[in-house]
Amino acid sequence: MSELPLFDSTGLERVLCVVAHPDDMEYGASAAVSAWTTAGVEVTYLLLTHGEAGMPDHPDEVRRIRPAEQQRACEQVGVEDLRVLDHPDGVLELTLGLRRDIARVIRQVRPQAVVTMGWADIAPWGVNQADHRVAGLSTADAVSAAGNRWIFPELVDDEGLEPWSTTWLLVTGTADPDQVIEVGAHDVAAAVASLEQHEAYLAALPNHPVPAEFIPQILAGGGGRAGVEAGLPVRAFKVG
């Protein structure tokens, strides 16, 4: 008997994925993106930083390398719209400015679902990285703000961005998922290929496991919780 129900993607036309760094989508979530784009859903990635603190090379060089690797990763899963903000890597803070920047993109993209990262201090794999926590919580708050005309009214008055209420907030990397997004073998392969595009980043992490060896295992384990071959567990909040 399956433990979790499958997420129903019916009605999704646009999805916005908000993460802290290049590569954050590539640890399983990109398989769900592949499944969506294959079905004709438009998916936008919003990175809050350039990931410039993630490698030992000089940050000026890294901020050029990592978004380029992310662009190649996007191509593996059918994402054509990649947006990168210029918040500082490693020291993201819960600020109104960050929340406004995310709310702005939500109003621009007008997605039915927003995907982000879990913001608990402790994640299933250990202590959750600080930028990940800030990205997740800021995105959750921005989803609410994006639908309210009186929060960040300058987005309407100065930029002409009318409020937008998304239907779903989908949170990955949580200890208490309640649904699973089913993915197929093609999507698993695409997810592996997407992580492989972060070649320079992975080379800077000599103990990092080989993508083809652990990404399929992660997705098989997630799918098993819903009685399917492969899947991405998420905490799904119906917010709109």
Side-chain angles (χ1 to χ4, degrees):
M1 183 176 180
S2 60
E3 173 189 353
L4 299 176
L6 291 175
F7 177 74
D8 184 1
S9 295
T10 302
L12 294 188
E13 298 176 355
R14 297 173 301 280
V15 173
L16 173 65
C17 303
V18 185
V19 293
H21 314 110
D23 89 289
D24 283 344
M25 284 296 296
E26 271 68 74
Y27 290 85
S30 60
V33 171
S34 174
W36 285 327
T37 60
T38 299
V41 179
E42 296 179 9
V43 179
T44 296
Y45 278 14
L46 175 64
L47 279 54
L48 304 183
T49 79
H50 286 77
E52 67 273 11
M55 293 169 59
D57 304 76
H58 192 280
D60 288 346
E61 178 67 8
V62 176
R63 67 184 285 113
R64 179 188 66 80
I65 292 172
R66 297 200 66 195
E69 292 188 332
Q70 182 63 71
Q71 182 63 61
R72 293 193 291 273
C74 286
E75 292 169 2
Q76 302 300 314
V77 294
V79 173
E80 298 180 358
D81 186 7
L82 169 63
R83 309 184 187 195
V84 185
L85 300 183
D86 201 23
H87 291 274
D89 183 20
V91 289
L92 277 182
E93 295 183 284
L94 286 167
T95 65
L96 291 177
L98 177 59
R99 191 189 310 176
R100 182 190 300 110
D101 286 347
I102 301 170
R104 175 184 292 109
V105 177
I106 292 172
R107 293 189 185 190
Q108 291 171 340
V109 174
R110 302 173 77 81
Q112 288 79 34
V114 173
V115 178
T116 194
M117 324 172 74
W119 53 85
D121 292 344
I122 304 300
W125 53 86
V127 177
N128 199 3
Q129 201 261 1
D131 283 359
H132 296 173
R133 301 197 305 265
V134 172
L137 188 54
S138 295
T139 301
D141 292 341
V143 165
S144 177
N148 189 322
R149 176 175 296 274
W150 309 117
I151 299 177
F152 306 132
E154 63 272 22
L155 294 179
V156 176
D157 297 339
D158 299 337
E159 302 181 38
L161 294 172
E162 291 294 324
W164 176 262
S165 296
T166 188
T167 303
W168 292 100
L169 174 65
L170 305 177
V171 184
T172 68
T174 69
D176 54 351
D178 59 4
Q179 296 190 50
V180 171
I181 302 170
E182 184 177 9
V183 302
H186 163 79
D187 308 312
V188 174
V192 171
S194 71
L195 182 53
E196 289 174 340
Q197 303 312 305
H198 296 274
E199 186 175 359
Y201 177 68
L202 295 180
L205 303 173
N207 296 318
H208 193 284
V210 176
E213 294 179 356
F214 81 98
I215 293 296
Q217 292 180 354
I218 290 174
L219 295 167
R225 301 186 68 174
V228 296
E229 293 278 333
L232 176 72
V234 296
R235 187 72 184 268
F237 298 92
K238 194 165 188 180
V239 292

